Amino acid sequence: MEPYIHKVQYYETDKMGITHHSNYIRFMEEARAAFLEQIGYSYHRMESEGLVSPTVSVNVEYKKPTTFNDIIKIEVEIQKVTVVRSFWNYKMSVNDEVVCLATSSHCFIDNNGRPISSKKASPALHELLTSLAKEQ
Amino acid sequence: MEPYIHKVQYYETDKMGITHHSNYIRFMEEARAAFLEQIGYSYHRMESEGLVSPTVSVNVEYKKPTTFNDIIKIEVEIQKVTVVRSFWNYKMSVNDEVVCLATSSHCFIDNNGRPISSKKASPALHELLTSLAKEQ
Amino acid sequence: MEPYIHKVQYYETDKMGITHHSNYIRFMEEARAAFLEQIGYSYHRMESEGLVSPTVSVNVEYKKPTTFNDIIKIEVEIQKVTVVRSFWNYKMSVNDEVVCLATSSHCFIDNNGRPISSKKASPALHELLTSLAKEQ
Amino acid sequence: MEPYIHKVQYYETDKMGITHHSNYIRFMEEARAAFLEQIGYSYHRMESEGLVSPTVSVNVEYKKPTTFNDIIKIEVEIQKVTVVRSFWNYKMSVNDEVVCLATSSHCFIDNNGRPISSKKASPALHELLTSLAKEQ
């Protein structure tokens, strides 16, 4: 998989002179969307199949500050997939130095906001994510 | 009408040490929503009536920088209402010193995204906004 | 301590119709700043004493979605304080229903970005935070 | 000049299902920064020379909504340069359809926040911007 690249924008910095920590949650989303697009299962495709995958948890460890114009490389991997949740890992680095480590988990809901099993809702997606998961 | 108060948050500042200019567009939305709530026609009510009012234009003049913890007082008024658009004015000040002057305009669309006349879609809202407009 | 109140803004929602999950990190910062202000040790005072306290980690569990106009009550407490870090807990609820549980930790750095002991940098702040911590 | 490309992110949408209008102000900043980098005068270089260029005004006309995953092409040009301000134009389009037209203006200040003449502060930058301006 191609790592995702995010270039830090001026509006993403704060008065400490560094990238505001809330933005890393957004970079994770960008990287996750790009990952899903790469494997042929974009959010758009999911949504067209009546499937939405809201975030259930995030854990972020900020290792080093970044700032305007920094090129953040984000490596994404799927840790585990169950019928109700997917678990993701993120490693962000600038010039090969780790700046942030993070995980997130996501459930699956239908268009009415009800939790559903990904296996039932989209067996193809479930299988694809499972095949890519680190923990089988 | 009560002026709207926004206290500048840390995450709204940028590395220049000041409130990032894009955020004023958000403060305008906050103030507009609070204004509509005050007159008894909240976004929620509009949306429940199948009416949405997207932003068509904004003009912002930044007069003085603000920063973290500043208490911005936002005075809102309706300049004019036509059947297809409403026009709004904003005056933002900190300690009675003007920091930003702005205008915005908004159209009305239905749930399918089609432009509609506010007069037809919600005569009550149209009349209310018109009665409050500076330009009759 | 007074709980902190955040009213969800339109621009904080996403196309799922709910508050975007990244914003809760910002609500945590708002609540933390208000907490520090309440105990008489605002960010401003910290910064005027040459002390900055960047975020080192966040953990967020999203329990229930919130949306535009929801009034989120945020209860903050200090879990623990060491010489190099403070640990915080957050409980967010809407109409007494928990919507989000979170923790964060923060280090102390001086104006040159070097980590410092809060005990040395500001004994008064260190003592105050410690006296309020759940874990003594 | 290469047009700047911004792919709309999920967190940039709102509950109307479209890109929140405040974000276009941010796209303008991204495009302006990329433009300055292309001509060899990045914000970084400006700041290293003690020059900062805050936004003084923005005007935005939203022509068509955009949404998640849309590829926005942003064409930037300098309209005019005076000793105290630069004036910029932006044309944003998706699949060759104009979605947004905007202008912005920016002054120059030194590290102490005092307005300065770009001609004095950085004759090279002043000349470069002037040579690229539509209005001579």
Side-chain angles (χ1 to χ4, degrees), chain D residues 88-123:
Chain D
W88 300 66
N89 304 326
Y90 310 80
K91 184 177 148 193
M92 308 189 205
S93 47
V94 173
N95 294 329
D96 290 323
E97 208 167 10
V98 174
V99 295
C100 183
L101 293 173
T103 63
S104 70
S105 71
H106 308 267
C107 63
F108 298 99
I109 57 172
D110 63 20
N111 281 330
N112 300 313
R114 271 181 309 230
I116 40 168
S117 144
S118 62
K119 218 173 183 169
K120 265 192 199 159
S122 173

Side-chain angles (χ1 to χ4, degrees), chain D residues 21-92:
Chain D
H21 62 281
S22 62
N23 291 313
Y24 292 80
I25 311 288
R26 300 183 168 189
F27 305 162
M28 289 158 66
E29 184 181 83
E30 292 186 25
R32 204 164 56 244
F35 181 100
L36 287 168
E37 211 170 286
Q38 264 190 78
I39 63 169
Y41 232 109
S42 67
Y43 275 21
H44 259 327
R45 180 168 166 199
M46 262 198 248
E47 291 192 355
S48 74
E49 294 179 355
L51 205 58
V52 189
S53 189
T55 300
V56 172
S57 70
V58 296
N59 294 279
V60 190
E61 282 176 67
Y62 305 96
K63 296 299 189 183
K64 277 188 164 283
T66 63
T67 190
F68 175 53
N69 250 0
D70 277 349
I71 308 287
I72 303 182
K73 184 175 84 176
I74 309 177
E75 291 165 277
V76 183
E77 65 177 9
I78 301 176
Q79 177 66 30
K80 201 172 65 175
V81 179
T82 70
V83 285
V84 291
R85 274 209 207 183
S86 62
F87 298 82
W88 300 66
N89 304 326
Y90 310 80
K91 184 177 148 193
M92 308 189 205

Side-chain angles (χ1 to χ4, degrees), chain B residues 22-40:
Chain B
S22 62
N23 291 313
Y24 293 80
I25 310 288
R26 301 183 167 189
F27 305 161
M28 288 157 66
E29 184 181 84
E30 293 185 26
R32 204 165 54 246
F35 181 100
L36 288 168
E37 212 171 284
Q38 263 190 79
I39 64 169

Side-chain angles (χ1 to χ4, degrees), chain B residues 15 20 29 47 56 59 62, chain D residues 15 20 29 47 59 62:
Chain B
K15 75 190 281 284
H20 191 269
E29 184 181 84
E47 291 192 357
V56 173
N59 294 279
Y62 304 96
Chain D
K15 79 190 276 285
H20 191 270
E29 184 181 83
E47 291 192 355
N59 294 279
Y62 305 96

Side-chain angles (χ1 to χ4, degrees), chain C residues 30-112:
Chain C
E30 292 185 27
R32 202 164 58 244
F35 181 100
L36 288 168
E37 212 170 285
Q38 263 189 79
I39 63 171
Y41 233 109
S42 67
Y43 275 19
H44 260 327
R45 179 169 166 197
M46 262 198 246
E47 291 192 355
S48 72
E49 292 179 356
L51 205 58
V52 190
S53 189
T55 301
V56 172
S57 70
V58 296
N59 294 279
V60 189
E61 281 176 68
Y62 304 96
K63 296 299 190 186
K64 279 190 164 282
T66 63
T67 190
F68 175 53
N69 250 0
D70 277 351
I71 308 287
I72 304 182
K73 185 176 82 176
I74 309 177
E75 290 163 279
V76 182
E77 66 178 6
I78 301 176
Q79 177 65 29
K80 202 173 63 176
V81 179
T82 70
V83 285
V84 291
R85 276 210 206 181
S86 62
F87 298 82
W88 300 66
N89 304 326
Y90 310 81
K91 184 178 149 193
M92 307 189 205
S93 47
V94 173
N95 294 328
D96 289 323
E97 207 166 11
V98 174
V99 295
C100 183
L101 293 174
T103 64
S104 69
S105 71
H106 308 266
C107 64
F108 297 99
I109 58 172
D110 63 21
N111 281 331
N112 300 313

Side-chain angles (χ1 to χ4, degrees), chain A residues 6 9 12 21 26 32-33 40-41 48-49 52 56 58 66 70 74 78 80 83 98 104 114 119:
Chain A
H6 180 94
Q9 298 301 325
E12 291 170 336
H21 62 281
R26 301 182 167 190
R32 204 163 56 246
Y41 232 109
S48 73
E49 293 178 356
V52 189
V56 173
V58 295
T66 63
D70 276 350
I74 309 177
I78 301 176
K80 203 173 63 177
V83 285
V98 174
S104 70
R114 271 180 311 229
K119 219 173 183 167

